[in-house]
Amino acid sequence: MVRLFAAVPIPFDIAEALQRRQRGLPGARWRPIDALHITLAFYGEVVETRADDLAAELTRARVDPFELTLEGVGAFGDGHRNRAVWAGVAASGPLNILAGRCRAAGQRAGVIMESRDYRPHVTLAYLRAAEDDRVGAWMTGHNRLQSPPFRVDRFGLYASVLGGAGSHYTLEREYLL
Ligand code: ATP
Ligand code: MG
C-alpha cells in the first residue's frame, strides 16, 4: 500500500516568502519549504496496482497552465483545538476544475474518495498544543498575506510517508500542463 495525493507544488520563491512567516507560534511544527503544496485530491492508502492505474488516469486530468495567488491565512480545527495553520488561495476556476478532474481520476481508478468540500490551502504548520490566543495573534499578524501571482504549469502525484517528525512526501509522477 502507498499513501497518495495529487498536489500543486509551491514555486521556490513563493515558498521562501511563506517560510519567513513560519515563526512566532509556540507549539507549531512548521512544514519544511519543499513540503509546501496545494492538495488537489487525497487518495489515501492505495494498493500498488491501483496506484499505477491512478497515475495513468491522471494524464487525463490536465488543464491549460493558469495563474494562482495566495491570499490570507486561516486555521483548521477539530472543534476543540486548532490543528493546522495555512495560507489561503484566491478563488480560481481552473484550480477547481483541475481538482475535480484529479478526484474523477481517482474514482475511475477505483479509489474510494471522501466527499468533503474542496478547500484549497497551503498548510504551513501542524499544531501541537498551541494556545488558541497565540494562534489568533499569528493569524491577525499575517491575514494580509498576498503573494504575487504565479504560474501553475505542472502538478504531481505524491506519496506520503508518515513519520515522527511529520510526513515526508516524494514525487511519484509529474504532469506538465
Ligand atoms: P500528517 O498526517 O502526518 O500530519 P500530512 O497531513 O501532511 O501529515 P497526509 O495525511 O499524508 O500528510 O496528507 C497529505 C496531503 O493530503 C496533505 O496536504 C493533507 O492536508 C491532505 N489530506 C490528508 N487527508 C485528507 C483528506 N481526507 N481530504 C483532503 N485532503 C487531505
Ligand atoms: Mg494528514
Side-chain angles (χ1 to χ4, degrees):
M1 299 280 261
V2 53
R3 184 179 177 93
L4 294 173
F5 64 101
V8 171
I10 303 299
F12 188 74
D13 54 331
I14 303 285
E16 260 186 339
L18 291 177
Q19 194 178 38
R20 289 195 285 274
R21 299 172 181 275
Q22 292 181 308
R23 47 180 301 190
L25 180 51
R29 296 153 73 201
W30 301 108
R31 301 294 287 142
I33 192 164
D34 58 339
L36 301 181
H37 67 275
I38 302 166
T39 298
L40 292 162
F42 180 73
Y43 304 113
E45 303 288 336
V46 173
V47 294
E48 272 73 7
T49 51
R50 185 154 284 159
D52 292 341
D53 292 346
L54 173 61
E57 290 290 351
L58 280 172
T59 61
R60 293 166 57 192
R62 290 194 184 97
V63 298
D64 289 332
F66 58 97
E67 304 239 300
L68 276 185
T69 304
L70 304 183
E71 201 172 74
V73 295
F76 286 140
D78 60 7
H80 300 283
R81 283 239 159 232
N82 290 304
R83 295 292 175 197
V85 289
W86 42 263
V89 182
S92 164
L95 181 68
N96 290 338
I97 291 169
L98 178 58
R101 289 184 182 178
C102 288
R103 180 186 173 79
Q107 287 167 332
R108 283 198 305 272
V111 178
I112 316 274
M113 313 265 313
E114 277 182 48
S115 61
R116 46 165 103 161
D117 288 345
Y118 181 56
R119 294 179 62 187
H121 62 277
V122 182
T123 296
L124 297 179
Y126 293 106
L127 306 179
R128 185 154 48 187
E131 305 279 350
D132 284 342
D133 52 348
R134 297 300 299 262
V135 178
W138 182 87
M139 287 198 290
T140 303
H142 293 281
N143 65 7
R144 293 166 66 92
L145 181 153
Q146 175 101 37
S147 79
F150 59 93
R151 187 175 169 84
V152 177
D153 60 3
R154 67 194 57 210
F155 70 97
L157 177 62
Y158 293 84
S160 171
V161 180
L162 305 177
S167 48
H168 178 79
Y169 311 135
T170 59
L171 181 64
E172 297 295 307
R173 188 124 161 214
E174 189 167 55
Y175 303 88
L176 300 182
L177 303 180

